[in-house]
Amino acid sequence: MFAVLKTGGKQYKVASGDVIRVEKLAADAGETVQFNDILMIGSSVGAPFVEGAGVQAEVIDQIKGEKTINFVRRRRKHSSKRTKGHRQKLTLLRVTDLLESGADKSGVKAAVGAGSVSASAMAAAAPAAEKKAAAPKAEKKAAPKAEKTEAPAEAVGSKPSNLLDAARDGKADDLKKISGVGPKLEGLLHENGVFHFDQIAAWGPEEVAYMDDRLSFKGRIERDNWIEQATQFAAEKE
């Protein structure tokens, strides 16, 4: 009788007494491991696995596979090439028993590898599971949330007294003439009541600090000489 088991993303056809190499399992030499992902055993075919079936095997040793050499060369890169080697870690097993039914999983599936359990893990899992079931669940009491108190933001500068609700005569000056003012910034100025050059020209240091904060462009007005430019454009308009 033979069985087809799955472990480490690969499938293996095994019979009792076979020695196989599989992807590394967390088990020591001499331990017994059990594979529970059985695709086929005897005349039983799983969908995808055979319920209750298992394959037991004894760990012979932890080994490494043959060394593989990979040569990497990048196109259009002068003298760009690399050689690297790899040895896959494997577990050497001897199949001892094929179980068509009654395989004991003990609730510790994947304790060693994909679909496998070790004898030591099976023995350790039983008292741990009993202890977990007997332990009463502690009720979590939510700690009272501290009320957040936000300190009021300190006012920056002084609000200009010459802000308007709308442009005079319904016609605003082209504030984009000022260096550093684009369509977006012009829209922000309109939202804050600034429509004309003479409004900007009349600002003092406190008004400049206030508008800098409102426009979120710290130092922009002074850095780009808005006051001087606005004064010049206002004079030209007259």
Side-chain angles (χ1 to χ4, degrees):
M1 183 173 69
F2 69 89
V4 178
L5 62 89
K6 179 182 177 182
T7 180
K10 299 180 178 66
Q11 298 177 11
Y12 301 86
K13 179 182 176 182
V14 298
S16 183
D18 286 352
V19 176
I20 60 173
R21 300 188 304 174
V22 300
E23 296 289 327
K24 184 178 179 181
L25 303 176
D28 298 325
E31 269 196 312
T32 299
V33 295
Q34 179 175 292
F35 298 94
N36 298 317
D37 290 348
I38 309 303
L39 301 169
M40 178 179 179
I41 185 166
S43 60
S44 302
V45 179
F49 304 121
V50 180
E51 185 66 28
V55 172
Q56 291 185 352
E58 180 186 358
V59 177
I60 299 174
D61 198 5
Q62 299 288 358
I63 61 174
K64 288 185 178 180
E66 295 78 10
K67 187 172 184 179
T68 58
I69 303 296
N70 297 326
F71 181 76
V72 181
R73 185 176 184 278
R74 298 183 181 89
R75 294 181 61 193
R76 303 184 183 90
K77 299 284 184 180
H78 297 290
S79 302
S80 178
K81 59 184 179 179
R82 180 176 58 178
T83 302
K84 60 180 181 179
H86 172 73
R87 293 189 69 185
Q88 181 66 36
K89 293 183 179 180
L90 303 169
T91 300
L92 188 64
L93 302 171
R94 178 179 289 107
V95 178
T96 57
D97 201 5
L98 306 182
L99 306 174
E100 291 190 75
S101 61
D104 184 13
K105 299 184 181 182
S106 301
V108 286
K109 185 175 181 181
V112 178
S116 63
V117 295
S118 67
S120 59
M122 291 165 64
E130 292 176 4
K131 185 177 180 182
K132 184 177 180 180
K137 291 184 179 180
E139 295 182 2
K140 294 183 179 180
K141 294 183 179 180
K145 293 183 179 180
E147 294 183 2
K148 294 182 180 180
T149 55
E150 296 183 358
E154 295 183 3
V156 178
S158 299
K159 183 177 181 180
S161 58
N162 60 355
L163 299 181
L164 303 172
D165 294 330
R168 303 186 195 108
D169 300 327
K171 187 176 181 181
D173 293 341
D174 185 7
L175 301 180
K176 295 190 295 298
K177 290 183 177 181
I178 297 175
S179 177
V181 177
K184 183 176 180 180
L185 194 50
E186 184 183 44
L188 287 174
L189 287 167
H190 289 172
E191 290 177 10
N192 285 275
V194 182
F195 299 91
H196 303 283
F197 295 124
D198 57 15
Q199 289 179 271
I200 299 174
W203 292 345
E206 290 297 313
E207 286 82 1
V208 168
Y210 176 87
M211 293 305 298
D212 259 338
D213 184 65
R214 295 288 292 177
L215 300 175
S216 300
F217 290 109
K218 304 297 182 182
R220 183 73 171 269
I221 297 175
E222 184 177 353
R223 185 170 61 252
D224 291 341
N225 298 318
W226 283 21
I227 306 300
E228 182 179 341
Q229 292 185 67
T231 302
Q232 179 181 346
F233 290 130
E236 292 175 358
K237 186 179 177 182
E238 293 177 358

